[in-house]
Amino acid sequence: MLTLFRWLMRITAGLLVLSGLALLIGYWFLSRSLVDYNEDFTLEGITAPVEVVRNNDSVPHIFGQNDRDVYFALGFAHAQDRLWQMTMLRRTAQGRLSEIFGDRTLAVDELIRRYDIYGLSLESVKAQDPETLAVLEAYSAGVNAWIEQVNTGARGRGAPEFWFFEPEISAWAPADSIAILKLMALQLTGMGQNEVLRARASLVLPPERLADILPEDPTKGITSPDYASLIPGVMPGDKPVDFALGPLSPVTEPALAGASNAWAAVAGRSAAGGALLANDPHLGFTAPTIWYLARLELQKGGVIGATIPGVPVVLIGRTEELGWGLTTAYLDDQDIVIEKLNPENPEEYLLPDGSYEKFVTRQTVVRVKDAEPITLTLRWSRNGPVLSGRQYDLQSVTPAGHVAVMSWTALSPADTSITAAVRLMSAATVADAIEAGRLYIAPAQNLTLAGKDGIAMQLIGAMPIRDGSHPSQGRMPSPGWVEATGFKGIFPYEENPRFVNPPEGILGNTNNKTVDRPFPRHVSFTWGDTQRIQAWLALIRTREVHTRESFMEAQLDIVNPTARLLLPLIGADLWYTGEAAPTGTQEEFRQRALKLLFAWSGEMSEHSPEPLIAEAWLSVLMERLIQDEMGPLAQNFRRVDPVFLERVFRNTDGAAVWCDVVQSAPVETCTDMARMALDEALIQLTETYGRNIESWRWGDAHQATHDHPVLGNVPFVKWFVNIRQSTSGGNDTLMRGVTKGSGPEPYLNVHGAGYRGVYDFADPDSSVFITATGQSGHPLSRNYDDLGELWRRGEYIPMSLDRDLANAAAAGVMLLTPATAAE
């Protein structure tokens, strides 16, 4: 027995040693791609020495003797820190994910190929002005210079992920940067999804109830047509709408299609006497974040702010004279068109004059790892590309003998959006910046500006013209054989909403409705916010003058206006009613929860139980109200809709009828539904967090999910690549943290402000910014998540264009020397 024990000990020790050696060897290989920020390089492609100074937060400050070399160095720095992320964005935009991930990403590749995003990007290169083309070429040369360093040196394949997947990295090209912007346009619009949802809902709800669940305006009902009258032959479905295309899909549910905050004040409303601007764009969380901070010293001056790796522009930021921010405009830039096929020849579709026209057709081959290549036949009608039935779940709204086509402004072969972005960085005044936006196509954004000549908000992006007699006014898929269907051109830029130096001296946008104009100049029937704007207005109106700190305070505000509005309404007959209940009963548990909520200020603090109770209550209530009327489709409307709940509990236009369960004999009241929903929510929370209600924490459920898009679900590995943080805020707070909404962890924070910036032009170098993770995309780098804890706590880092300050705080200085000079 003793001998056996000794051998077991030896075997165990040997296995531990071997495991330790394997970990050391693995670490050595993976760490080879860590970047030494003090390493110098001699490179082809630059004309003079370039200095890249990285401060303590790894923000590169790039100083060169000409703009071309500066953009070269930006490409070099982007590739050093985010090469895997850049190549993944490019692969997605090219429809080439399946080459390394197999058939699980085939649906994404198919959608991208049908849109022909990369082909349109190649065409758009020719539409750029000479200055922008030079920027794209210089940036591409910089990216390729680092790829060459990876290929020729022992640099761990450029990123740890390349050890697990295809290590071959093709050269970067100008079209790659344009394609990434087009990919962002796809991510930031949910109008196609909204059309499918509205069509499906119209098949199961009468018009007055459709007005409750999908209002065009928070104060009005809607007059959407019955989809069955538009497109005969479509029946109500027995399944929810399924927008999922699998891993790495840029298409998601409409609630996650993009959001942001931005506000600005003129110098007269600033305590320090200079214009103010704050911006925090909201996107899905990833590790690393999509944003990358950088400062470029150009011939026209310095520019600093947030870039996207792969794109050679500061998309959000400031110069000495001007600051700019972006919020999603919610422009209705997509129309689904149903084309009727020729029964005698399915390669033709019906025109309004009764004749048939052939689809424009070509084929493309999608390579699939460990499987045979897939040949796709791509077709276009006069209205746009034909999509397959599983994309946007179009099969559920397309009758037999028809196909669905997508009209979308981003499908332009002459997309000059990146030229507009380059010109914006050179703008010296608000007027110059507005003019730069003229060339912008997609994704449609509200450009918020602040400078010495005032403030402004301008919608930038191609705004499609629709016929005044359009069958659905763009709210539902429409028949392509009707002449009024489809885009009829693009409105002149002057028609886009524009607000310059308003009399109040302050303006803001939280994706709320910006204009009240009749169709077709309406911009949209669907807006992204009705609640955050109320919280912002309340904060802004409490001060006559503002400071950098008050703008930061607004960005970080966690008071929930939805809870403040709805809880007194839905709990009106529940507060402090009934006899004292025995300890341990469900009624007593409910009374404890109501007592907490009654005294609650509405702050969505991560340390409090009240936000968790309120969110669970409203979520269950929403589900209970709509489940019986909408059936399986209710799953698509489970997110708490404050406009809907207010209509129901105020009985607006008879909306209280939702409270009665139509399948049951008794007539349930809204008080009954509120009580039952609260009881069910508390039972659900008890199963997860125990019965000590006072010890529950919102932050335990509302963790920010900065997950690695590829490795985030791999056992063991995920603990090294994912960044999880307890967070405050919620769906409707200004410090927005959108919850997942479904699954075993429905309150995870999956979407919010990956970047925050506040610029004070009384003292520009006191401006601040922060991102949600870190600058590096390498999980072994200290800069992978170093900014994340600051972000979680609501802190910022300085944002200076002072070269001396950059050098004084340098954590690394990299010198790029031209090869010809070295010779």
Side-chain angles (χ1 to χ4, degrees):
M1 182 63 70
L2 182 60
T3 301
L4 177 61
F5 177 75
R6 288 173 176 171
W7 274 106
L8 288 175
M9 289 293 293
R10 290 168 184 169
I11 292 170
T12 302
L15 290 174
L16 289 174
V17 170
L18 289 175
S19 299
L21 286 173
L23 288 174
L24 287 173
I25 292 171
Y27 178 84
W28 185 85
F29 275 107
L30 297 178
S31 65
R32 297 297 295 166
S33 50
L34 286 169
V35 179
D36 179 359
Y37 294 142
N38 284 299
E39 183 178 4
D40 297 334
F41 296 89
T42 301
L43 304 169
E44 299 281 353
I46 53 175
T47 61
V50 182
E51 192 176 54
V52 181
V53 180
R54 283 181 169 87
N55 65 13
N56 288 327
D57 302 300
S58 194
V59 178
H61 293 246
I62 303 174
F63 305 98
Q65 297 182 25
N66 58 72
D67 288 355
R68 188 192 184 285
D69 289 348
V70 170
Y71 285 112
F72 177 100
L74 177 63
F76 195 80
H78 272 170
Q80 281 186 311
D81 286 323
R82 301 285 187 89
L83 186 59
W84 171 257
Q85 186 181 49
M86 292 170 63
T87 57
M88 284 300 298
L89 288 171
R90 177 173 62 178
R91 273 193 180 274
T92 305
Q94 291 175 333
R96 295 178 54 223
L97 290 171
S98 299
E99 293 179 10
I100 59 175
F101 298 117
D103 58 9
R104 63 195 182 107
T105 57
L106 188 56
V108 177
D109 285 346
E110 181 184 348
L111 176 66
I112 298 299
R113 297 290 182 99
R114 292 193 183 279
Y115 277 136
D116 195 23
I117 282 180
Y118 198 73
L120 294 170
S121 300
L122 287 168
E123 288 293 314
S124 294
V125 172
K126 297 178 287 188
Q128 312 310 316
D129 65 14
E131 178 189 357
T132 302
L133 190 57
V135 168
L136 290 167
E137 290 173 343
Y139 179 84
S140 297
V143 175
N144 293 331
W146 178 249
I147 294 174
E148 178 66 21
Q149 292 293 318
V150 171
N151 290 337
T152 58
R155 298 187 183 274
R157 297 187 176 182
E161 294 89 345
F162 288 113
W163 289 101
F164 301 95
F165 300 99
E166 175 61 53
E168 182 181 346
I169 309 169
S170 58
W172 201 265
D176 299 343
S177 299
I178 296 173
I180 289 175
L181 281 185
K182 285 187 176 292
L183 186 66
M184 295 298 296
L186 179 59
Q187 183 179 353
L188 292 173
T189 183
M191 295 303 166
Q193 296 98 302
N194 281 322
E195 287 193 32
V196 175
L197 282 176
R198 191 180 293 276
R200 287 284 305 278
S202 79
L203 296 174
V204 298
L205 293 175
E208 63 273 14
R209 299 289 67 88
L210 187 61
D212 298 327
I213 198 72
L214 283 170
E216 288 179 1
D217 185 284
T219 61
K220 304 174 184 176
I222 61 173
T223 56
S224 291
D226 177 8
Y227 187 62
S229 67
L230 280 178
I231 310 292
V234 179
M235 301 298 293
D238 58 357
K239 295 180 180 179
V241 179
D242 184 8
F243 295 126
L245 293 178
L248 305 177
S249 173
V251 175
T252 183
E253 60 173 305
L256 302 180
S260 306
N261 297 323
W263 37 84
V266 298
R269 292 291 302 269
S270 166
L276 292 164
L277 174 65
N279 184 213
D280 53 292
H282 305 164
L283 291 169
F285 290 142
T286 61
T289 178
I290 189 67
W291 300 110
Y292 180 92
L293 305 175
R295 178 266 184 87
L296 312 177
E297 188 63 33
L298 303 173
Q299 290 177 320
K300 291 186 178 181
V303 56
I304 190 169
T307 67
I308 291 177
V311 183
V313 291
V314 175
L315 288 169
I316 304 168
R318 73 170 184 89
T319 62
E320 287 287 355
E321 299 86 12
L322 185 73
W324 59 95
L326 299 173
T327 57
T328 299
Y330 277 79
L331 171 69
D332 188 0
D333 56 359
Q334 290 183 325
D335 268 4
I336 297 173
V337 178
I338 305 297
E339 304 283 20
K340 181 181 291 185
L341 300 178
N342 183 351
E344 305 297 326
N345 182 1
E347 296 304 314
E348 296 179 341
Y349 63 97
L350 183 63
L351 295 176
D353 63 5
S355 65
Y356 289 96
E357 181 172 280
K358 278 193 172 184
F359 291 103
V360 176
T361 304
R362 71 175 174 85
Q363 292 186 327
T364 185
V365 177
V366 181
R367 291 168 49 206
V368 183
K369 181 183 178 183
D370 300 328
E372 292 297 317
I374 303 294
T375 299
L376 298 176
T377 298
L378 310 180
R379 295 187 294 173
W380 290 265
S381 77
R382 66 194 184 106
N383 290 303
V386 177
L387 302 183
S388 75
R390 63 177 173 172
Q391 291 154 0
Y392 300 94
D393 204 11
L394 291 169
Q395 57 198 354
S396 67
V397 294
T398 307
H402 298 69
V403 293
V405 166
M406 180 66 81
S407 296
W408 182 27
T409 56
L411 301 180
S412 168
D415 189 341
T416 50
S417 299
I418 199 161
T419 291
V422 169
R423 292 187 181 184
L424 178 60
M425 291 192 296
S426 300
T429 65
V430 167
D432 291 342
I434 291 175
E435 183 59 28
R438 182 180 298 275
L439 295 177
Y440 191 85
I441 304 296
Q445 299 284 292
N446 292 314
L447 175 66
T448 303
L449 301 159
K452 295 179 180 178
D453 58 331
I455 61 175
M457 185 173 71
Q458 167 75 49
L459 190 154
I460 57 174
M463 192 164 74
I465 300 173
R466 295 177 176 87
D467 192 294
S469 57
H470 189 290
S472 75
Q473 298 186 346
R475 294 169 292 191
M476 296 182 186
S478 299
W481 56 92
V482 174
E483 182 60 41
T485 293
F487 294 167
K488 307 303 179 183
I490 300 298
F491 278 108
Y493 184 56
E494 287 71 22
E495 291 285 331
N496 288 18
R498 177 182 300 176
F499 309 91
V500 180
N501 290 326
E504 303 85 358
I506 199 163
L507 53 76
N509 181 251
T510 60
N511 310 118
N512 56 289
K513 186 174 183 177
T514 55
V515 291
D516 191 11
R517 305 193 307 200
F519 178 86
R521 296 173 62 252
H522 65 307
V523 178
S524 180
F525 288 118
T526 303
W527 300 91
D529 174 58
T530 60
Q531 301 299 303
R532 298 197 316 277
I533 189 62
Q534 301 304 323
W536 179 75
L537 288 171
L539 287 173
I540 290 302
R541 288 168 178 168
T542 59
R543 296 171 179 262
E544 183 62 32
V545 295
H546 285 270
T547 64
R548 182 192 69 167
E549 285 69 25
S550 71
F551 269 34
M552 292 163 61
E553 177 186 342
Q555 279 190 339
L556 303 173
D557 184 70
I558 58 172
V559 174
N560 187 345
T562 296
R564 284 188 163 186
L565 168 71
L566 292 180
L567 292 186
L569 193 60
I570 67 176
D573 295 327
L574 300 178
W575 307 116
Y576 295 103
T577 59
E579 301 293 333
T583 302
T585 63
Q586 185 60 39
E587 185 176 357
E588 184 264 346
F589 203 50
R590 182 198 319 138
Q591 290 175 354
R592 286 167 58 194
L594 286 168
K595 184 177 180 180
L596 287 173
L597 292 178
F598 185 82
W600 181 42
S601 67
E603 286 195 354
M604 303 289 285
S605 169
E606 63 182 293
H607 305 295
S608 302
E610 292 90 347
L612 185 56
I613 301 168
E615 282 294 316
W617 186 7
L618 295 176
S619 295
V620 173
L621 178 60
M622 185 78 190
E623 184 176 3
R624 277 180 169 267
L625 289 174
I626 65 176
Q627 184 68 50
D628 56 321
E629 279 89 349
M630 303 192 72
L633 195 59
Q635 292 189 36
N636 295 111
F637 294 88
R638 289 183 60 183
R639 288 190 177 277
V640 174
D641 184 340
V643 174
F644 169 75
L645 291 177
E646 185 178 9
R647 286 177 65 88
V648 170
F649 278 83
R650 293 193 190 280
N651 196 23
T652 304
D653 297 329
V657 69
W658 289 88
C659 291
D660 179 38
V661 180
V662 295
Q663 289 90 350
S664 68
V667 177
E668 290 85 4
T669 67
C670 289
T671 299
D672 295 333
M673 295 300 285
R675 184 187 66 255
M676 290 186 291
L678 179 56
D679 287 347
E680 182 179 343
L682 292 173
I683 291 171
Q684 292 177 359
L685 294 176
T686 300
E687 292 173 351
T688 303
Y689 302 104
R691 289 193 61 85
N692 187 2
I693 191 172
E694 289 78 12
S695 69
W696 294 350
R697 290 182 70 257
W698 172 233
D700 291 341
H702 194 243
Q703 292 187 33
T705 57
H706 306 287
D707 291 354
H708 194 286
V710 175
L711 302 177
N713 291 319
V714 178
F716 182 71
V717 175
K718 65 182 181 181
W719 301 112
F720 295 93
V721 298
N722 292 345
I723 304 169
R724 294 292 179 96
Q725 302 164 323
S726 169
T727 54
S728 299
N731 294 323
D732 296 319
T733 57
L734 286 173
M735 193 175 87
R736 193 166 182 253
V738 179
T739 54
K740 184 179 179 182
S742 60
E745 297 179 287
Y747 309 113
L748 288 177
N749 181 2
V750 298
H751 189 282
Y755 168 85
R756 300 186 189 115
V758 181
Y759 323 136
D760 183 352
F761 287 94
D763 179 13
D765 282 336
S766 71
S767 301
V768 292
F769 55 14
I770 195 68
T771 63
T773 58
Q775 290 286 90
S776 175
H778 199 304
L780 298 180
S781 170
R782 72 174 184 86
N783 300 119
Y784 184 67
D785 60 356
D786 59 327
L787 297 180
E789 185 58 30
L790 298 176
W791 173 86
R792 189 194 75 80
R793 296 200 303 260
E795 299 179 15
Y796 300 76
I797 61 175
M799 191 177 195
S800 175
L801 287 172
D802 188 314
R803 182 165 186 169
D804 292 335
L805 286 178
N807 286 318
V813 179
M814 181 179 296
L815 184 64
L816 309 182
T817 305
T820 53
E823 294 171 1

